[in-house]
Amino acid sequence: MAIYRRVRDLREDKDKTQKEIANLLNMQLTVYQRYERGERELPLWAAIKLADYYNVTLDFLVDRNQTNK
């Protein structure tokens, strides 16, 4: 699963809007929407902040597991 799908799924599971997450990341809504659509690569600092916010690991966020090593 691509990171942009995982980010979207986590947001939807928490019943958060794209605007709420954009505000959390201190960025414009349109920029965040591009991350969720896979049009832009999510920066590492944003991935870390989202992993902390959703209480998941970066490995989970990028769908990296033991078999991917």
Side-chain angles (χ1 to χ4, degrees), residues 36-48:
E36 273 201 14
R37 289 192 303 259
E39 295 173 1
R40 292 183 70 171
E41 188 171 323
L42 187 67
L44 181 58
W45 68 265
I48 292 169

Side-chain angles (χ1 to χ4, degrees), residues 6-61:
R6 181 67 52 107
V7 167
R8 183 194 64 218
D9 289 346
L10 286 167
R11 177 183 58 77
E12 290 174 348
D13 288 347
K14 292 280 189 178
D15 294 324
K16 297 297 181 184
T17 65
Q18 288 180 330
K19 182 65 176 165
E20 289 173 311
I21 301 304
N23 287 341
L24 171 76
L25 297 174
N26 197 28
M27 65 178 57
Q28 293 180 1
L29 173 60
T30 56
V31 173
Y32 179 75
Q33 288 171 329
R34 289 182 188 125
Y35 294 138
E36 273 201 14
R37 289 192 303 259
E39 295 173 1
R40 292 183 70 171
E41 188 171 323
L42 187 67
L44 181 58
W45 68 265
I48 292 169
K49 192 161 189 171
L50 289 174
D52 288 345
Y53 178 75
Y54 293 123
N55 198 30
V56 298
T57 64
L58 283 174
D59 282 345
F60 176 82
L61 197 62

